[in-house]
Amino acid sequence: MKPFLRQQLARYADRLGELEFLLSREDIMQDMAQFLKLSREHTEVAAVATRWARHQQCETDLSSARDLLSDPDMADMAQEEIDTAQAEINQLEVELQRMLLPKDPDDARNAFVEIRAGTGGDESALFAGDLARMYTRYCDRRGWKTEIMSASESELGGYKEVVLRVEGDSVYGALKFESGGHRVQRVPATETQGRIHTSACTVAVLPEPDEQAAIQINPSELRIDTYRASGAGGQHINKTDSAVRITHLPTGIVAECQDGRSQHSNKAQAMRVLTARIHEKERSERAAKDAAQRKSLIGSGDRSDRIRTYNFPQGRLTDHRINLTLYKLLAIMEGDLDDVIQALQAYEAAQQLAELEVGQA
């Protein structure tokens, strides 16, 4: 393990002692907010400190076992202990490095997934529908709940635009890498001569803000319009102006919802989408400033970037950011995104670890 990581981990043992002292003080115990804050930190620090202590014990065991290798009577047993200790050390180092990486507070949040048809006309809209289905199936595999917040369907099927809300554990942390341009190469159903067409969609993944953040928007800066929902939805929706469109006047950002059965619920849902879009705009502006100082291939959120190609004739998916190519496109379109997302997460972790090391240099 690199020296700078050892230095970082040694601090956790010291901090654990400080936290245990603080949590034993009566004044801290009487301040519930402070007590809960320190208790949460204690849980996180203890998890790291415990693994670090075990890592040090394994290193001691490894050293002792190596000393026994020179004894012919003990060599076999010593080698077995060496193998066991080294395997545990390797596993602990992977866990500890992951735990040391800076955490994005938004990673644990629910998310909105916005899919928009781009170049390619009807074929692009059909592909947008395929992407929505792919993400929905992936979420089902993860045990996450999905719902359509708003949708504009195309004449031949698919979507001109669709917004999904995904609820579950660490949704944004997994789906945030999907933001960007998605290109598809295939023979459209309407193509009579078997020619391959190229079309594209854009995907934007936004973390769902908490309720407190939503309250911070000034109501006087909003214009709220109601209208009659279109499409399927039953007699109730068709008889009332239940759909809601909210415009944030300072930025021009718009959000709408027509999926709910009442104007009140649609307004609440549209407000959540609007808040997420405003926060994403602020995040993008901060990222643009940071980009001058630090370039990153992942998470730029630039919707014009082509991040991925889906080549149906070859059964190939290529993620251009990390040069990942998989020949299992049909399985991926059925929601088997684990290999793609895990590779992107691993790349991000490696980037963060490299930056952490540079920062300690």
Side-chain angles (χ1 to χ4, degrees):
M1 183 179 289
K2 296 180 179 180
F4 85 96
L5 287 176
R6 291 181 177 274
Q7 293 172 5
Q8 292 269 342
L9 290 164
R11 297 194 188 108
Y12 277 81
D14 295 337
R15 180 57 178 164
L16 184 61
E18 293 173 1
L19 289 168
E20 288 174 347
F21 169 72
L22 290 171
L23 289 170
S24 69
R25 286 172 39 176
E26 287 191 17
D27 58 331
I28 297 292
M29 296 174 69
Q30 292 172 359
D31 184 345
M32 186 54 64
Q34 181 76 346
F35 181 78
L36 290 174
K37 178 182 177 182
L38 291 173
S39 294
R40 284 192 293 268
E41 184 184 355
H42 180 273
T43 300
E44 294 176 1
V45 170
V48 177
T50 300
R51 284 173 174 79
W52 175 233
R54 180 58 191 164
H55 183 279
Q56 291 175 300
Q57 181 60 53
C58 286
E59 287 187 322
T60 300
D61 295 343
L62 182 62
S63 178
S64 299
R66 283 173 175 162
D67 291 340
L68 294 174
L69 278 176
S70 58
D71 185 341
D73 295 332
M74 303 291 289
D76 289 345
M77 184 182 74
Q79 186 60 53
E80 186 177 334
E81 290 185 3
I82 288 171
D83 294 342
T84 300
Q86 189 62 62
E88 187 171 358
I89 286 172
N90 293 342
Q91 178 61 33
L92 286 166
E93 287 187 358
V94 170
E95 294 178 9
L96 287 166
Q97 287 183 13
R98 187 183 69 246
M99 296 172 86
L100 283 179
L101 296 177
K103 295 178 178 61
D104 184 339
D106 287 335
D107 280 357
R109 295 189 182 279
N110 301 328
F112 296 108
V113 180
E114 303 181 350
I115 306 168
R116 292 181 177 82
T119 56
D122 290 334
E123 169 63 9
S124 177
L126 290 171
F127 182 52
D130 292 339
L131 289 178
R133 181 174 178 270
M134 176 184 76
Y135 290 129
T136 300
R137 296 225 165 175
Y138 172 70
C139 293
D140 289 343
R141 293 160 68 101
R142 295 289 300 265
W144 297 338
K145 177 184 176 183
T146 59
E147 59 179 315
I148 294 178
M149 302 290 293
S150 64
S152 174
E153 298 178 2
S154 67
E155 294 179 1
L156 296 180
Y159 298 104
K160 297 176 183 177
E161 176 180 325
V162 60
V163 180
L164 306 174
R165 177 179 180 267
V166 185
E167 179 182 349
D169 293 330
S170 302
V171 169
Y172 182 71
L175 294 179
K176 64 183 179 182
F177 304 111
E178 298 304 302
S179 291
H182 295 242
R183 183 178 69 171
V184 61
Q185 296 171 326
R186 64 184 177 187
V187 179
T190 55
E191 170 60 54
T192 58
Q193 299 183 27
R195 291 174 298 187
I196 296 172
H197 288 226
T198 298
S199 57
C201 291
T202 58
V203 175
V205 181
L206 320 176
E208 182 180 60
D210 56 30
E211 295 297 329
Q212 291 180 335
I215 296 173
Q216 293 174 5
I217 297 178
N218 188 342
S220 66
E221 296 178 341
L222 301 177
R223 185 179 74 236
I224 301 176
D225 301 309
T226 58
Y227 59 98
R228 190 159 298 177
S230 61
Q235 294 181 343
H236 174 78
I237 284 184
N238 292 328
K239 286 182 178 178
T240 63
D241 292 341
S242 61
V244 175
R245 181 185 296 111
I246 305 178
T247 304
H248 185 238
L249 300 175
T251 61
I253 294 173
V254 178
E256 58 187 11
C257 184
Q258 61 179 20
D259 191 56
R261 288 287 179 176
S262 72
Q263 187 181 115
H264 178 75
S265 65
N266 281 331
K267 180 180 176 183
Q269 294 282 50
M271 192 67 190
R272 288 153 79 181
V273 175
L274 180 76
T275 305
R277 289 178 177 169
I278 292 172
H279 282 223
E280 181 63 19
K281 181 176 184 294
E282 294 171 351
R283 172 196 284 265
S284 298
E285 289 172 351
R286 288 195 302 271
K289 293 178 182 178
D290 293 343
Q293 301 172 345
R294 178 178 62 87
K295 288 186 177 181
S296 174
L297 293 176
I298 291 182
S300 67
D302 186 345
R303 300 179 196 181
S304 65
D305 287 344
R306 187 192 70 192
I307 63 168
R308 195 175 294 158
T309 295
Y310 304 73
N311 186 301
F312 278 79
Q314 298 177 12
R316 167 178 61 83
L317 176 140
T318 298
D319 195 291
H320 305 289
R321 295 165 295 181
I322 56 174
N323 295 321
L324 173 71
T325 296
L326 297 172
Y327 288 91
K328 47 181 287 187
L329 182 56
L330 293 182
I332 289 169
M333 297 308 295
E334 289 298 318
D336 186 7
L337 275 168
D338 290 330
D339 288 345
V340 182
I341 288 175
Q342 288 170 10
L344 289 162
Q345 289 175 326
Y347 182 87
E348 182 191 48
Q351 293 287 91
Q352 288 179 321
L353 193 62
E355 290 176 6
L356 196 62
E357 185 172 1
V358 170
Q360 295 295 316

